[in-house]
Amino acid sequence: MSAGTPMRAARRWRAWPAGLMLALALVLVFALAAAPVAPALTPAVRNGSGQRGPALTERRLLTGAVVIRRTRYGIPHIAATSYAGAGEGYGYAFAQDNLCTIAEDYVTVDAQRSRFFGPEGSYEQRGNGVSVNNLDSDFFYQQIIDSGVIGKLLAQPYPFGPKPGVRQLVAGYVRGYDRYLRSVGGSAGVPDPRCRGKAWVRPITAQDVWRRFYQLIELASGDVVIGGIAEAAPPTPGVPVPTGPVPVPPLPGPVPRLPNPVPPALRSHTARRAPALSPEQVARLLARRLPAGGIGAIGSNAVAVGRAGTRDHRHGLLLGNPHFPWIGTERFYQAQLDIPHQMDVEGASLFGVPLVLIGHTATVAWSHTVSTAFRFTPFQLTLVPGEPTTYLYDGQPEKMTSRTVTIQVRQADGSLKPQSRTLYSSRFGPIFNSLEGVPLSWTPTTAYALGDANADNFRVFNTFFDFDHARSAPQMLNILNRYEGIPWVNTIAADRQGNALYADIGAVPNVTNAKAQRCDTALGQATFSLLGLPVLDGSRSACAWGTDSDAIEPGLFGPSHLPHLFRSDYVTNSNDSYWLSNPHQPLTGFARIIGDENTARTLRTRIGLIMTQARVDGSDHLGPAGFTVGDMQSMVFSDRQYAGELTRDALVSMCRSLPGGMAPTDSGPPVPVGSACDILAHWDLHENLGSHGAVLFRRFWDHADAQAAPGAGTSPFATPFSSSDPVHTPNTLNTNSPVVRAALGDAIQDLDGAHIPLDATPGDIQYVMAGRRRIPIHGGPGDPNGDFNAIYSDFTPGQGFGPIYTGSSFVQVISWNHGTCPIGGSILTYSESENPASPHHTDQTALFSRKRWVPDTFCAGAVLRRTVSTKVLVPFRGAPR
C-alpha cells in the first residue's frame, strides 16, 4: 500500500454523513463490549478466576476492526483479527501516550538532529550512557541510511529477514501512529506541550520504524562508538600504495604516540585532542566507562523459580525486574496484544517496538538482564607507511572503503547548509577513533575498526515474535538456539509446567580464549585481562572471528558454546556473568568474552541469591518453604541494603573510636562525626522511605567502594573473595584502610555541604514531582550498595541528589495456579506516559511509592471487568488488515 493510500481512505471516511459515522461507532462500542467470542490461545476463554468469561471483541461484527481497551493506569489491551491490526492498535495507543519522545528519536535515526536542533546540541543515549553530539549522530545515521544496510537486511530470506508477521506488525504500527497524529490535527494538536506545534513532529513510514529497530540492536556495539565513527579521519594526506607484498611488523607495543600539540593535518574533523596513553591506562579507562558487555547505564534482576522452588511444587514463577532509564526512548511501554488463535501476549517493550519484549503468554513468562558478553571487538589495523587509508592483511595492502556523507545543518540565521564528511570502513567494519569517549587514535601507523556481531542482526525480531507465541521454557530455548538473535541480554524464563531457564544465547563474536591469547595486541592484552574485551590483530586472517558448525552465520559462537541452564529450583541473573546463575550448579568452561568465572559477584547478585535460596528452603522464616506470588513481590521491594548488612556494625565501632570524634577526609581537614555514629547504629539496614541513616551510609559506601573498580586493586573488605564461598565473600569491613576511614568523613562532608541532614531518609531526597506534589521513591543503588530494588540518582557536591534517571522499571511477578489464567501483578514504576499532561504520567509511580502492584489482567474476562475506556479503530474502506 502506498504512503498516500491511508490519506485517501481517510478522506473517503470523512466524506460519510456525520450522523451515520456516529451511529456506527456507538453500535460498535456497545456491541463489542458485550459480545462473546472464541479464545486466542486456550480451548476456552476464562476470566481471572478460571471461569468462562466474555472475550475482548466480536470479530464477526466488522472484520478488521481493532479494539483498544484501557484498564486502570492506562494499560492498553489491544484486540485485532490480524498482525497488522494489532500493530495499528499498538501504534495508536502508544502515540497517544508517548508521541513526543519517540518523534524526537525518529529525528535522530533519520539523521536530522542538526537540521531541527542545531549542530552544537547533544542528547543522552540513556540505554548505554553515551552522550552524543547532534552533528556526529547525523553523520553516523546518514551513513547507515546511505549504505542501504537496512534494506539489505529486510530483503534477506528467513530466518535472517523478518517474518511476515513482524512486517505486518510494523506496517500496522505505522498506520496506527499516523492515524492518531491525524486524529489530533497533526503537530499543532498534539496534547503533549513538549512537542506541540514542532516541525519535526510528522507522520512516519516503515523506514523510520526499522531504523529505530536498528538503533536498538546496536545499543551495545555500534551505538557505543557513534562519535568515534563519525569523527574518525586519516591523519595525513594519501600517497600511492606500494605494490607487491609488504612485510608484517611485529605486534605493536605501546599505543603509538602523536605529537602534542597535534598538527592540524593529524586531527580528525572534530575530534578532541587525545593524550598519549599506555595500553594499561586505556584499559583502566575503559574498565570505568565500559563494563563487561558494553552497556554500563542499564541493568536488571530476574529470577525464574521452578516447581521445586514454589509453594505448590507444580508451577513455575518469574520475577522480571529490569533497571532501565526512567527518561527517554529506552523506557518500557506496557500493553497486551490479542489475535484470536494466533497470539495473545502481555508485557512491555522499548519505545517504538510493537512486540512484547518482556512479558508472558498464557503458559510461559520471561524477562531479560543485560549480558556480560561483548557483542563487538576492535581490530587494530597496521597501516601501510605513508598511506593511512591502506592496511595490511596477510602481508598484502588492502584499501579502506570510503563514503562521503552529507547532511543538512541549521545555521545561526535558521537557514540550512549541507555539510559533508568522509567516513571509512575496513573488511572488519567501520573505522573509529574513540570508544565511550576513550581515545583510540588513528595515527600514521595504526587505526581501529569495529567488528560488530549485531551489524546484520535482524533475526532478533523473529526471536521476539516467536517468544510472543511461546508456550514453555524449553520452547523458548529452541527459539534462542534457532536464531541466535538476542543482541545484548540474557533470557530468564519460567513456565506453567514448572521449568526454570537461564540462557545467554545470542549474537556473540567467536573469539576463544586461545585466539585472544594468539591475536590480542598489547592493548588487547590489557583490555582482555581487565574486561574480557579482546583487541585483535587486524593484519592476520588467522585473527578473524571463528565459526562454529552450529552457528547461524560465520563469525559467531554456536549455541553449543554459549551458556544455558535448566533447573527445577531456580535460576537468577543480576548482570554478573552466567557463572553463578545457580550456586548449586556453576556454569564453567566458556570463553572469556562471554563472561568471567570464579570471580567475585556484585552485592546485588549476592543478595538476590541469598534471598532466593532462603525463600526456596524456608530458612528466612517468612512462612512455609517455597515461593508464592506474594513472597516474590515482598522480596523484590524489601529494600534490604546488603552492603549495610555486611559492614554497618563495624562502621559504627570505627566511627565511635575515631580520636576526638573527628573523621578524616580524602582531601582536606577532618570533620566532626557529630550524631553520625548513633544515626548509623539505629539505621534499619533498608532503603525504605523512612529509613533514617540510609542516605548517610549510601554516601559512605560510594566513597569506600570507589577504589574497587577493575584495575584499582583496593577493596573496602578485609576478607577477600573465595571461590569456595562465592555468595558470602568478600566480607568484613576493613576499618584499618585509610580509604574506608576517609569515606566516612567524606560522606558527612557531602551531606553537610548539600544541606542534607545526616539522618535523611530515601523519601527525603528521592522523589518524582506530580505537578506540585512529591511522590517519594524507595530503593537505592543496586551497584555498588546491593539493593535489589535498584534506584539511581546522581549526587553533585554542594547541591545534593538529582532526579532519578534509572532503576526498577517494568517489574512483573507471574505464576500460575489451578486456573487457566496466569496470576500475579506488575508495576511500571514511572507510569505509561512521558507526557506531563497525561493522567497516566505518574499514576503507577504513586502506586510504586506505596509498594503496591497492578493485578495481572490477561484473560478476557478480567480485561472486560477492569476496562475503563474503549477505543474502536474502524478500518477505512478498502484498507487491508
Side-chain angles (χ1 to χ4, degrees):
M1 184 173 64
S2 69
T5 301
M7 294 295 290
R8 291 194 296 272
R11 286 194 292 270
R12 289 195 300 269
W13 173 253
R14 288 195 295 268
W16 290 16
L20 179 58
M21 292 171 59
L22 178 60
L24 179 57
L26 290 173
V27 168
L28 283 169
V29 169
F30 288 108
L32 292 171
V37 68
L41 277 179
T42 57
V45 175
R46 298 177 184 273
N47 61 23
S49 64
Q51 301 301 310
R52 290 183 180 274
L56 299 186
T57 67
E58 172 54 83
R59 277 82 180 192
R60 294 170 298 178
L61 179 66
L62 185 61
T63 301
V66 177
V67 179
I68 305 170
R69 293 183 176 276
R70 289 194 186 255
T71 52
R72 288 190 68 187
Y73 309 104
I75 300 169
H77 301 259
I78 297 151
T81 57
S82 67
Y83 292 113
E88 181 174 8
Y90 185 99
Y92 191 97
F94 175 73
Q96 280 184 306
D97 292 325
N98 293 291
L99 186 138
C100 287
T101 303
I102 196 64
E104 182 179 339
D105 196 61
Y106 291 139
V107 174
T108 300
V109 298
D110 288 346
Q112 294 187 337
R113 292 194 68 87
S114 299
R115 177 190 188 106
F116 289 107
F117 309 132
E120 301 303 323
S122 63
Y123 64 96
E124 295 291 326
Q125 190 162 279
R126 298 181 185 277
N128 56 25
V130 176
S131 180
V132 186
N133 167 262
N134 287 346
L135 203 62
D136 288 346
S137 176
D138 287 346
F139 281 116
F140 176 82
Y141 284 107
Q142 191 64 50
Q143 154 84 342
I144 291 172
I145 294 168
D146 292 349
S147 72
V149 62
I150 293 176
K152 295 171 186 175
L153 295 177
L154 290 172
Q156 292 182 117
Y158 176 84
F160 302 99
K163 282 184 162 184
V166 177
R167 297 174 191 269
Q168 293 160 20
L169 281 164
V170 168
Y173 170 87
V174 171
R175 188 162 60 229
Y177 181 102
D178 289 351
R179 184 170 184 167
Y180 171 74
L181 189 57
R182 286 195 304 274
S183 75
V184 297
S187 170
V190 172
D192 191 335
R194 298 176 302 157
C195 69
R196 185 185 302 128
K198 301 296 185 182
W200 45 269
V201 176
R202 55 173 178 76
I204 61 171
T205 68
Q207 282 299 312
D208 296 306
V209 182
W210 294 118
R211 289 169 189 168
R212 163 62 174 162
F213 282 12
Y214 197 70
Q215 179 189 45
L216 287 172
I217 294 168
E218 290 280 86
L219 195 64
S221 45
D223 290 357
V224 177
V225 290
I226 289 176
I229 291 173
E231 296 186 1
T236 58
V239 296
V241 180
T243 58
V246 179
V248 179
L251 291 179
V255 176
R257 180 170 185 155
L258 289 177
N260 191 14
V262 181
L266 299 187
R267 297 178 193 163
S268 62
H269 295 286
T270 58
R272 290 161 291 283
R273 197 177 302 163
L277 300 172
S278 70
E280 291 73 20
Q281 288 173 316
V282 173
R284 283 196 292 272
L285 285 172
L286 287 174
R288 295 188 182 98
R289 295 285 299 148
L290 194 74
I295 302 183
I298 54 179
S300 304
N301 304 318
V303 181
V305 184
R307 67 182 70 86
T310 53
R311 186 77 57 82
D312 69 3
H313 297 301
R314 293 179 57 192
H315 305 109
L317 182 150
L318 179 93
L319 163 69
N321 176 214
H323 304 150
F324 270 54
W326 282 37
I327 305 167
T329 55
E330 275 61 74
R331 281 168 52 119
F332 285 108
Y333 185 71
Q334 184 178 3
Q336 180 178 9
L337 299 173
D338 175 21
I339 307 171
H341 310 295
Q342 295 185 69
M343 179 173 75
D344 195 1
V345 62
E346 182 181 27
S349 58
L350 297 175
F351 277 23
V353 182
L355 284 162
V356 169
L357 305 183
I358 290 177
H360 66 89
T361 65
T363 53
V364 64
W366 75 95
S367 193
H368 297 289
T369 60
V370 175
S371 165
T372 58
F374 281 100
R375 310 301 169 133
F376 68 92
T377 68
F379 284 87
Q380 188 168 319
L381 306 182
T382 300
L383 304 181
V384 172
E387 180 52 59
T389 60
T390 303
Y391 57 97
L392 299 174
Y393 193 68
D394 285 342
Q396 297 293 324
E398 189 164 304
K399 191 74 175 175
M400 295 176 186
T401 58
S402 64
R403 175 179 284 109
T404 298
V405 180
T406 302
I407 62 172
Q408 296 295 318
V409 179
R410 191 182 72 193
Q411 306 301 299
D413 62 1
S415 64
L416 296 177
K417 183 179 178 180
Q419 186 169 331
S420 299
R421 288 184 189 172
T422 300
L423 306 185
Y424 295 84
S425 192
S426 71
R427 66 165 47 235
F428 303 107
I431 306 300
F432 68 101
N433 66 6
S434 67
L435 176 58
E436 276 271 20
V438 178
L440 295 174
S441 300
W442 187 347
T443 75
T445 59
T446 304
Y448 293 90
L450 186 76
D452 183 354
N454 283 319
D456 63 351
N457 180 14
F458 261 29
R459 306 179 307 276
V460 57
F461 305 113
N462 294 334
T463 303
F464 284 113
F465 183 82
D466 287 3
F467 276 6
D468 288 359
H469 295 75
R471 297 174 179 273
S472 69
Q475 185 180 0
M476 297 197 76
L477 179 62
N478 290 337
I479 294 167
L480 291 168
N481 290 341
R482 181 185 311 139
Y483 297 114
E484 290 191 275
I486 295 293
W488 35 265
V489 291
N490 304 286
T491 302
I492 296 88
D495 62 24
R496 182 180 175 82
Q497 293 82 8
N499 301 300
L501 167 69
Y502 162 84
D504 192 358
I505 296 176
V508 182
N510 191 320
V511 182
T512 63
N513 293 347
K515 175 161 288 190
Q517 185 175 11
R518 293 193 308 268
C519 292
D520 262 334
T521 63
L523 175 59
Q525 291 168 12
T527 57
F528 193 71
S529 174
L530 275 182
L531 295 171
L533 175 66
V535 179
L536 301 173
D537 178 11
S539 71
R540 295 185 284 157
S541 59
C543 295
W545 295 348
T547 299
D548 288 341
S549 60
D550 59 338
I552 192 168
E553 66 178 21
L556 302 182
F557 280 117
S560 61
H561 289 130
L562 295 169
H564 82 271
L565 179 64
F566 272 112
R567 294 282 299 187
S568 62
D569 52 357
Y570 67 90
V571 293
T572 77
N573 187 267
S574 294
N575 306 124
D576 274 313
S577 76
Y578 53 84
W579 174 53
L580 220 62
S581 177
N582 185 302
H584 301 297
Q585 190 178 352
L587 295 170
T588 59
F590 296 95
R592 177 73 175 88
I593 193 175
I594 304 171
D596 54 6
E597 301 170 8
N598 293 296
T599 59
R601 307 289 92 176
T602 66
L603 297 187
R604 178 161 56 91
T605 290
R606 289 165 58 185
I607 190 61
L609 290 169
I610 288 168
M611 291 190 298
T612 300
Q613 180 62 59
R615 184 79 299 271
V616 165
D617 60 27
S619 59
D620 58 6
H621 307 296
L622 296 177
F627 273 101
T628 65
V629 165
D631 291 335
M632 186 63 82
Q633 290 176 332
S634 296
M635 186 184 98
V636 68
F637 291 158
S638 65
D639 285 318
R640 289 174 59 178
Q641 225 269 32
Y642 190 47
E645 292 182 16
L646 289 173
T647 66
R648 190 272 305 274
D649 291 349
L651 172 60
V652 170
S653 296
M654 182 192 79
C655 180
R656 287 173 171 164
S657 68
L658 290 170
M662 301 295 290
T665 60
D666 184 56
S667 58
V671 297
V673 298
S675 59
C677 306
D678 290 340
I679 290 169
L680 290 168
H682 292 98
W683 172 41
D684 64 7
L685 300 176
H686 288 70
E687 294 262 12
N688 291 317
L689 293 180
S691 294
H692 293 280
V695 177
L696 174 60
F697 183 86
R698 186 187 299 185
R699 292 306 302 147
F700 161 75
W701 194 250
D702 281 347
H703 286 291
D705 188 70
Q707 302 300 316
T714 301
S715 170
F717 292 112
T719 302
F721 167 76
S722 170
S723 58
S724 63
D725 188 13
V727 177
H728 301 98
T729 58
N731 58 46
T732 310
L733 186 66
N734 182 7
T735 55
N736 293 320
S737 165
V739 172
V740 169
R741 298 175 77 84
L744 178 60
D746 290 336
I748 295 169
Q749 190 169 257
D750 282 349
L751 298 190
D752 285 345
H755 306 291
I756 297 173
L758 295 184
D759 66 346
T761 69
D764 294 330
I765 54 91
Q766 199 166 258
Y767 54 86
V768 169
M769 295 303 298
R772 296 182 178 180
R773 180 170 61 95
R774 289 185 7 160
I775 302 175
I777 302 298
H778 56 91
D783 300 316
N785 302 52
D787 189 333
F788 206 56
N789 174 35
I791 296 291
Y792 296 95
S793 59
D794 286 330
F795 181 85
T796 302
Q799 299 180 30
F801 292 89
I804 296 167
Y805 64 88
T806 194
S808 292
S809 50
F810 174 66
V811 190
Q812 58 172 341
V813 175
I814 300 297
S815 189
W816 296 265
N817 57 20
H818 60 278
T820 58
C821 297
I823 60 172
S826 64
I827 188 73
L828 190 61
T829 58
Y830 37 65
S831 306
E832 285 277 45
S833 178
E834 272 211 297
N835 175 8
S838 168
H840 306 302
H841 181 56
T842 56
D843 52 353
Q844 286 198 63
T845 311
L847 205 63
F848 172 59
S849 175
R850 304 195 301 273
K851 299 189 180 184
R852 302 286 298 276
W853 296 75
V854 180
D856 187 66
T857 305
F858 181 79
C859 285
V863 173
L864 284 176
R865 287 196 310 274
R866 294 170 183 161
T867 293
V868 175
S869 67
T870 303
K871 174 71 177 179
V872 180
L873 302 181
V874 179
F876 302 128
R877 286 190 303 174
R881 284 288 188 271

